[in-house]
Amino acid sequence: MPTSMPTDTPGAPGDGTDSEACAYTAYEDGEAPEEYPKTGAGATGAEADVWAALYEVEDPEMPVSVVDLGLIYDVSVDEDSGLCEVEMTLTYTGCPARDMILNDVRCAAETAPGVDRADVRLRYTPGWTVAMVTDAGREALREFGLSV
Amino acid sequence: MRRSAPDPSVAAGAAGSGGDDPAECPYCGSTDTEREHPKGPGLCRSMHFCDDCGEPFERFG
């Protein structure tokens, strides 16, 4: 019987830590929602440049672009102010790579000509599923040893 | 503060998608595979083993 068990749960509401993380990962089977995954097809100007830059960002755990994983939900650039807004998701809310991926995506977006500053926002709707992975992403994941 | 409900991600058999369907091996395509662990290197993946080609692999969920 351990006697040194902490009595509070890290991330519990009200304890001052980040409590948005959850380890629940039961992915729905079936089709990706209409319009997903978003790959920037048809984007023009600075937005196309941002999509191209995001293709270069790999998931820290797998050699697959965050775009091919279907994590990028929206890219918009205000060409007057140079402000880029990226909306994206993670494979689950408790992803420990969260800060790293968000920073990589922000920095990549800011390399695009015409972008002065990028803001990256996390969204969890629609919920990510394996159906969001592009065909190129599937191929890369299989080579990596991940069943999709 | 205690959780009032059990964490579903660690309930026996609740982790992962596809229920009890065996995962398809990414190396040889066989479905003669078994899940060895509900969680892998990352919590979004589970660990599997292919009885056909003898390779360990992962699956989302």
Side-chain angles (χ1 to χ4, degrees):
Chain A
M1 175 84 188
T3 52
S4 58
M5 289 287 285
T7 51
D8 60 333
T9 313
D15 73 354
T17 63
D18 186 351
S19 60
E20 291 172 31
C22 167
Y24 185 62
T25 54
Y27 299 114
E28 297 285 325
D29 285 334
E31 301 281 301
E34 193 88 27
E35 296 182 26
Y36 291 87
K38 297 196 180 176
T39 57
T44 55
E47 285 169 11
D49 293 334
V50 171
W51 280 104
L54 296 188
Y55 261 106
E56 302 300 313
V57 179
E58 283 188 353
D59 183 291
E61 291 180 322
M62 313 164 225
V64 185
S65 141
V66 291
V67 178
D68 281 321
L69 273 177
L71 298 179
I72 307 298
Y73 281 3
D74 194 46
V75 170
S76 64
V77 178
D78 180 345
E79 308 217 1
D80 293 329
S81 67
L83 176 65
C84 169
E85 290 185 339
V86 178
E87 293 195 347
M88 67 176 296
T89 194
L90 298 170
T91 58
Y92 73 114
T93 60
C95 182
R98 167 178 152 168
D99 292 349
M100 190 177 191
I101 295 178
L102 293 184
N103 191 56
D104 287 355
V105 165
R106 184 180 57 81
C107 293
E110 289 179 349
T111 65
V115 172
D116 290 328
R117 190 167 70 87
D119 283 341
V120 184
R121 283 202 13 243
L122 274 176
R123 260 174 50 191
Y124 294 106
T125 49
W128 183 90
T129 72
V130 180
M132 303 260 201
V133 181
T134 66
D135 289 344
R138 274 163 207 280
E139 199 50 47
L141 287 174
R142 279 195 203 99
E143 284 192 24
F144 175 64
L146 216 152
S147 174
V148 276
Chain B
M1 172 159 172
R2 286 259 167 246
R3 287 178 194 275
S4 52
D7 179 349
S9 67
V10 294
S17 60
D20 296 327
D21 289 348
E24 183 179 297
C25 173
Y27 299 110
C28 73
S30 168
T31 51
D32 184 12
T33 66
E34 46 200 306
R35 193 184 75 177
E36 292 197 311
H37 197 83
K39 294 298 179 194
L43 289 181
C44 52
R45 284 118 73 208
S46 49
M47 299 297 296
H48 300 252
F49 184 79
C50 176
D51 287 327
D52 262 354
C53 68
E55 289 286 348
F57 65 94
E58 300 166 22
R59 174 169 75 170
F60 276 112

